[in-house]
Amino acid sequence: MSVIDTAAALHVAHRDNHTHRDVNGGWLRPAVFGAMDGLVSNLALITGVAGGNVASGTIVITGLAGLAAGAFSMAAGEYTSVASQRELVLAELDVERRELRKNPKDEQLELAALYESRGVEPKLAREVARQLSTDPEQALEIHAREELGVDPADLPSPAIAAVSSFGSFALGALLPVLPYLLGVTVLWPAVLLALAGLFACGAVVARVTARTWWYSGLRQLILGGTAAAITYGLGTLFGTAVG
C-alpha cells in the first residue's frame, strides 16, 4: 500500500471514529421543547382549575382553550421572531452585496486581513482572497459567513418555524386533556399521562446533550410535576376562597 493510500485509509478511520453530536439540535430540539412547553403549561392550567373542584366539562374546555391559545401564541411569536431575524439578515446581505459591487478591492483586502488574523501567511491570504472573490455570489457567501455568521442559502423559514411550533405545542398540550376527552372524570390519569410524556420528552432531549436519558427524563418530570403541584394548590386555595 502506498503512502497516499495509507494516509487516505487513516483519514477515513479517523472520520468514522471522530464524530460529534449535533450541537444545534436540528429540528429535534425545538420540536421537543415545544412539546414540553405545551405539556407543562397545559398540565399546570388543568391541575389549577381541577384544584378549584370544578366539573370535568369545565376542565375539558379550559384545557382545549389553553391548547389553542398557547399553540397560536407560540406560532405567532415564532413567526414574528424568525421573520424579523430573516429580514435583518437580508438587509445586511444587501449592504454587503452593495459593498462588493462598489468597493471590490477593499472587500478583497478585508477578507485577506481576516485570513491573516487567523494565522494564514499574508501572501497566501491575499491569493486566497483574490481567488474567492472572482465569483460575486461566492464572495457574498464567504463574507456573510465570516462577518455575519450566517449562510445566505440556509436562512430559516418563518412559516415552517410557525407551523412546527404550533404542532409541537399542540401535541404536548393535548396529552393532559386526552383522558378527559376519552370520558375520564378524575384528575390523576391526566397527570400520569402528562408526567409520562414529560419523562419521554426529557429522555429524547438526552440525544442532543451529554446527560443520560434517565437523568434528563427525571429532571423534566420533577420540574413539570412541581409546576402542576403548585398550581393545584393555588387552585384549591382560590377555589376555597371564592366558594
Side-chain angles (χ1 to χ4, degrees):
M1 181 180 292
S2 68
V3 174
I4 295 177
D5 290 337
T6 302
L10 290 173
H11 171 72
V12 171
H14 174 74
R15 180 196 64 195
D16 292 342
N17 291 281
H18 188 73
T19 57
H20 294 284
R21 292 182 177 88
D22 178 6
V23 295
N24 292 319
W27 62 268
L28 180 64
R29 185 178 183 278
V32 172
F33 277 99
M36 279 189 187
D37 195 5
L39 263 168
V40 173
S41 61
N42 224 26
L43 174 62
L45 178 63
I46 287 175
T47 53
V49 173
N53 196 27
V54 300
S56 60
T58 302
I59 296 176
V60 170
I61 294 173
T62 301
L64 292 177
L67 184 157
F72 280 113
S73 176
M74 284 284 292
E78 194 70 14
Y79 183 92
T80 302
S81 174
V82 174
S84 300
Q85 179 186 9
R86 183 185 178 91
E87 290 162 3
L88 175 60
V89 171
L90 290 175
E92 291 300 315
L93 288 175
D94 284 339
V95 171
E96 194 64 37
R97 188 178 286 110
R98 287 196 298 271
E99 286 299 313
L100 285 167
R101 186 172 60 250
K102 291 168 54 180
N103 304 299
K105 291 297 183 182
D106 289 343
E107 291 296 309
Q108 184 177 317
L109 290 173
E110 182 181 307
L111 191 59
L114 177 64
Y115 289 139
E116 285 184 48
S117 70
R118 295 185 176 180
V120 180
E121 295 180 358
K123 183 177 179 180
L124 179 58
R126 290 193 296 271
E127 179 60 20
V128 170
R130 185 191 67 78
Q131 293 187 28
L132 292 176
S133 299
T134 56
D135 181 354
E137 287 304 314
Q138 177 178 257
L140 175 64
E141 180 180 341
I142 293 170
H143 279 274
R145 288 176 181 273
E146 298 292 348
E147 296 178 27
L148 303 176
V150 298
D151 182 355
D154 191 29
L155 297 181
S157 166
I160 292 176
V163 171
S164 300
S165 295
F166 183 96
S168 59
F169 184 97
L171 182 62
L174 178 63
L175 280 185
V177 191
L178 190 58
Y180 287 99
L181 294 175
L182 296 177
V184 173
T185 58
V186 291
L187 179 62
W188 66 265
V191 173
L192 289 180
L193 182 60
L195 292 179
L198 286 169
F199 184 87
C201 285
V204 171
V205 169
R207 290 188 56 184
V208 292
T209 67
R211 294 290 188 180
T212 57
W213 64 269
W214 59 265
Y215 177 89
S216 295
L218 189 60
R219 177 175 60 184
Q220 196 58 39
L221 185 151
I222 292 173
L223 291 173
T226 301
I230 292 173
T231 53
Y232 182 83
L234 291 173
T236 302
L237 179 64
F238 295 153
T240 303
V242 173

